Amino acid sequence: MNYFQSLMEQNKKLFIPFITAGDPDAEATIALALSLQNAGASAIELGIPYSDPLADGPVIQRASGRALKQGMNIVKAMELVPKMRENGVEIPVILFTYYNPVLQLGEENFFALMRENNVDGLLIPDLPFEENQRIRTRCKAENLYFISMVAPTSSSRLKKIAEASEGFLYCVSSLGVTGERKEFDQNVFNFIKEVKAVSPIPVAVGFGISSGEQARKMNEAGDGVVVGSSIIRQVEELHDQLISKADRDEALQKIEAFARSFVQTV
Amino acid sequence: MYPDIKGRYGDFGGKFVPETLMEPLEELENAYRDAAADPAFGEEYVRLLKEYSGRPTALTFAENLTKSIGGASIYLKREDLNHTGAHKINNAIGQALLAKRMGKNQLIAETGAGQHGVAAATVAAKFGMKCKVFMGAEDVERQQLNVFRMELLGAEVVPVHSGSKTLKDATNEAIRYWVQHCEDHFYMIGSVVGPHPYPMIVRDFQKVIGEESKKQFAERTGGLPDKVIACVGGGSNAIGMFHPFLNDEVELIGVEAAGKGIDTPLHAATITKGTNGVIHGSLTYLIQDEFGQIIEPYSISAGLDYPGVGPEHAHLADTGRVQYISATDQEALDALHRTAKEEGLLAAIESAHALAKAFIIAETMSPEQSILVCLSGRGDKDVHTLMKALKGEVDQDELLSISNGAK
C-alpha cells in the first residue's frame, strides 16, 4: 500500500501544499516546509522555478521569478530536500518541475540527483501520458511516485492515465492554469466522481482551491486537495518578514495557521 | 513523411503541454485531417488565396542586383505582395477556415512584430469572428503601428507583462488563455512552432510558397534554382518555401538572426547556437542556460527574435538536408538598403537576413546558376526601426536590458 493510501486508511484527507523552491529564499523554503508539516500537510510539492511556466497563473509565475532572481535552479532545489530532513521534515517531498530543466540535466543525472537527495516523487505538468512513459517506468523501478494529472478534458484518456499513476492522482479541478478561484463549476463534483471511479489510488484535486471551505467541498467528492497559489500569495505578502531572521517565525506561524484550515479528517 | 504519429520530426516536435490541452489538440488534428481530405476545403482555401490575398504572388528576377553582384541570377519570391504584406496571411486564411469548420468563432493569436497579429485580425474580420491577440508589452510599445492596425480591424490586443514582455511571453500567455477557453476558442499559431499538429498545419498552409515558386521558376527558366534561401525565426516562410524542394537537387539554406554577432549574447541564432529543449509544447533547438531556463534572444527584427525554432527545421538541420547560417543586424540592414536602392523593393528586416546571405553566396556562383530568395514580407512596418538605425539611434539601454534579461 502506498503512503497516500495509508493516510486514507487512517481517515485522513490529503492536504498537499505547494511551495516554490527559493521563494523568497532557500532558508525560508526549508522553514516553510516544516511549518506546513506542522500544520498537517500530507506531503510537500516543491516547485522548481522556471522561466516559462506554461501551466501556471500569475501568482506562481511571480514566485518563479523571485526564486530565479535568488539564483535558484533545479539542482539547488533538490539539495534543499536533505536540509528539510535535517530540519525535521518527514513527509514525502514531491518535485514539481517543467520538463525542460529535466531534459537539460539529462535523465541519468536527474535520477541520480533524485536518489542522492532522497526526493520521493515527481510531477511534470507538461509531460503528458504519450510523452512520459520512459520516465514513468523509471520512477516505478526506483520506487519514486510519478504523479499523473487528469483534466476535465481528459475524457477518453482518463482511464489509461489513472491506471498509470503512482502515489495519488492529481485531478485538475477546471480548465485553466493554477490560481485562486472564487467559484467552481458544479460539474467539478461529477468529474471528481468520474475520476474516483477509475482511479486505483487516492485522488487529490488541485488548481484554484484557496480556502478551507472550498477544500471541504472538494474533499466530499475526492480524497484531498493540492493548494498552491493561495499559499504562495501568503508567502508573497509576508516576503519581507520571511527573509528577515528576526521576523521569520511570526510569518511562518501565520502561514501555518492558514495551512491548517485545509487539513481535514473524515 | 514527417511528422510521425506522435507528431515527431526525428527527435523533435511532439506535444509537451498540460494535460488539459491534449484532447483539444487531438480534436484539432482530426478536424485538420478531415479538412485536408475534403476537396471543398482545399478549393475554398485556394479561392481565398486568389481572390482575397492576391495569389499567385510574383516571381521577380532581380536584374539590377544580379548585374551588380556579378554571380548567379537572383530571383525573389514576392510574398510581400500578399494582402497585409507578408506570407503570414496564407496560414491565417487556412486556420480561419479550419476554425469555421470546427464551429469556433473566437480566435486567439500571439504576435511579436505584429505581422501574424494583423493577419489573424484581418481574417477574423473577414470571417466575422472575434479575435484576441496577445503581444508582449515591449512589442506593443515598439510596434504601435501594427497595434493600431489590429485594433482598426476589430481585434483586441492584450499586452503581456510577464517575463521579458516579448513574443515568448505573449505565446505563453496565449497558451494559458487557450487552456482556460479551449472548449470554444481556436488558437491560431503563427509559425511552424508549438505542439503537434501546429507545425504540420502551418507548414501545409505555407507550402503554397514553394509550390508556386517551383512552377513559376520552371515556366521562366525551364528548370529549378540551384539554391533556395529563406530567413528563419520560427521558420514558417522558410518551411513553406523549402518543403516542395526537399526531394529535388536544390541546395536549401535557412538564415537565422545573428543580431550583434553569434559570439555575443545578443542573437537569435537558435539552430546555430541552441541546444535541445522544450518550448511552447515542442521539442526543438532552444536558446537556454545550463539549467533549462529559456534565454530571451535578440535581433533587430522583431519577427526573428524567438528563442526556439520549428521542430521540422531542427530535424532538417540534423539530417543535413538544409544548411542553416546566420546574418547580423548590420548585414541585414545593408542588404535591405541595397535592395531598396537597386531594385526599388523595401524588404522586411526579416527577409533582409536572407537577402544578405544570398548576395554573398550569389557572388561565388557562376552566371549560369540561379538562386531563389523568399522575400517573406515588406518593410513598411520596419521604417521606424530603420530610421532609428540609420541615425545610429539603436537604443543602447534597450540592448543592455535585453542582455541583462538573458539570465
Side-chain angles (χ1 to χ4, degrees), chain B residues 137-144 166 299 302 305 384 398 402:
Chain B
E138 286 272 338
D139 290 334
V140 168
E141 278 298 310
R142 288 190 289 202
Q143 304 285 338
Q144 287 180 14
T166 59
S299 164
D305 66 355
H384 184 67
E398 193 178 302
I402 293 167

Side-chain angles (χ1 to χ4, degrees), chain B residues 104-365:
Chain B
K104 302 194 178 186
N105 65 353
Q106 304 191 76
L107 302 181
I108 306 164
E110 81 295 321
T111 200
Q115 290 310 96
H116 173 58
V118 169
T122 299
V123 294
K126 168 81 176 159
F127 284 56
M129 295 169 167
K130 279 193 179 162
C131 182
K132 204 185 261 291
V133 182
F134 291 86
M135 190 168 184
E138 286 272 338
D139 290 334
V140 168
E141 278 298 310
R142 288 190 289 202
Q143 304 285 338
Q144 287 180 14
L145 186 64
N146 272 338
V147 172
F148 183 64
R149 285 171 79 189
M150 287 182 262
E151 286 171 350
L152 266 183
L153 290 158
E156 182 195 349
V157 178
V158 183
V160 174
H161 295 276
S162 59
S164 46
K165 306 181 172 75
T166 59
L167 176 61
K168 165 177 86 74
D169 309 285
T171 309
N172 286 333
E173 210 53 47
I175 295 174
R176 290 190 189 108
Y177 187 84
W178 189 38
V179 174
Q180 205 172 343
H181 299 92
C182 55
E183 287 176 322
D184 56 357
H185 283 56
F186 186 96
Y187 179 27
M188 181 180 271
I189 291 190
S191 192
V192 283
V193 300
H196 177 67
Y198 280 105
M200 171 180 79
I201 291 175
V202 180
R203 172 196 75 196
D204 288 356
F205 286 135
Q206 292 292 3
K207 276 195 309 203
V208 63
I209 303 172
E211 281 161 1
E212 256 177 38
S213 296
K214 221 169 149 172
K215 189 160 162 266
Q216 290 168 320
F217 209 89
E219 281 165 10
R220 195 80 62 88
T221 70
L224 291 170
D226 294 286
K227 296 178 201 266
V228 173
I229 302 190
C231 66
V232 179
S236 69
N237 90 91
I239 211 82
M241 178 56 112
F242 294 162
H243 215 267
F245 288 101
L246 283 178
N247 296 321
D248 298 312
E249 280 192 28
V250 172
E251 208 175 307
L252 305 172
I253 301 162
V255 184
E256 301 190 297
K260 298 286 164 193
I262 54 168
D263 297 321
T264 75
L266 298 177
H267 65 79
T270 313
I271 293 177
T272 313
K273 300 285 282 190
T275 51
N276 286 19
V278 168
I279 182 170
H280 301 142
S282 184
L283 209 165
T284 185
Y285 283 116
L286 178 60
I287 304 177
Q288 58 187 328
D289 72 11
E290 60 180 313
F291 296 111
Q293 308 294 342
I294 297 171
I295 294 174
E296 185 66 18
Y298 163 80
S299 164
I300 192 171
S301 151
L304 296 184
D305 66 355
Y306 183 68
V309 65
E312 191 163 10
H313 283 295
H315 177 62
L316 290 169
D318 259 22
T319 58
R321 176 63 190 94
V322 180
Q323 190 196 342
Y324 294 86
I325 54 179
S326 60
T328 63
D329 286 355
Q330 195 56 52
E331 288 176 307
L333 288 172
D334 292 346
L336 189 147
H337 274 141
R338 188 170 184 175
T339 309
K341 281 188 179 159
E342 295 186 25
E343 295 291 347
L345 291 173
L346 183 58
I349 306 183
E350 287 86 348
S351 320
H353 285 74
L355 291 168
K357 290 296 150 175
F359 298 165
I360 294 170
I361 293 166
E363 210 178 311
T364 67
M365 296 164 70

Side-chain angles (χ1 to χ4, degrees), chain A residues 51-52 100 104 131 153-154, chain B residues 8 19-20 172 276 288 293:
Chain A
S51 58
D52 294 76
N100 199 44
Q104 285 320 295
E131 299 287 357
T153 49
S154 297
Chain B
R8 295 294 188 119
E19 170 62 22
T20 306
N172 286 333
N276 286 19
Q288 58 187 328
Q293 308 294 342

Side-chain angles (χ1 to χ4, degrees), chain A residues 60-192:
Chain A
I60 292 177
Q61 282 181 56
R62 287 200 298 271
S64 268
R66 288 192 295 270
L68 287 171
K69 271 202 190 127
Q70 292 288 321
M72 185 48 65
N73 60 49
I74 186 167
V75 176
K76 285 186 186 168
M78 282 198 258
E79 288 168 358
L80 292 182
V81 180
K83 289 177 189 158
M84 289 176 187
R85 302 294 182 218
E86 282 167 28
N87 205 32
V89 175
E90 291 169 348
I91 53 177
V93 178
I94 311 284
L95 219 57
F96 176 104
T97 176
Y98 287 87
Y99 184 48
N100 199 44
V102 176
L103 197 62
Q104 285 320 295
L105 278 182
E107 264 172 48
E108 285 307 316
N109 202 354
F110 175 70
F111 275 99
L113 283 166
M114 294 268 286
R115 273 196 305 272
E116 236 166 73
N117 294 295
N118 287 313
V119 178
D120 301 281
L122 184 59
L123 198 166
I124 310 181
D126 60 345
L127 200 64
F129 184 81
E130 284 76 358
E131 299 287 357
N132 69 23
Q133 194 183 359
R134 204 174 57 240
I135 285 192
R136 199 165 16 108
T137 311
R138 179 97 188 235
C139 280
K140 206 178 173 87
E142 303 211 9
N143 264 323
L144 296 165
Y145 295 120
F146 184 88
I147 312 295
S148 297
M149 297 175 109
V150 291
T153 49
S154 297
S155 48
S156 63
R157 307 159 47 76
L158 207 54
K159 198 156 182 280
K160 66 180 177 190
I161 296 172
E163 282 167 359
S165 190
E166 299 281 332
F168 65 92
L169 182 60
Y170 192 132
C171 178
V172 176
S173 68
S174 44
L175 300 183
V177 292
T178 60
E180 297 136 288
R181 312 226 197 304
K182 282 204 184 77
E183 280 174 26
F184 288 89
D185 191 307
Q186 287 304 304
N187 289 332
V188 67
F189 302 107
N190 292 333
F191 170 55
I192 298 168

Side-chain angles (χ1 to χ4, degrees), chain A residues 12-29:
Chain A
K12 285 178 182 158
K13 290 287 185 180
L14 305 180
F15 165 53
I16 303 158
F18 169 98
I19 49 175
T20 299
D23 172 38
D25 62 22
E27 262 184 59
T29 304

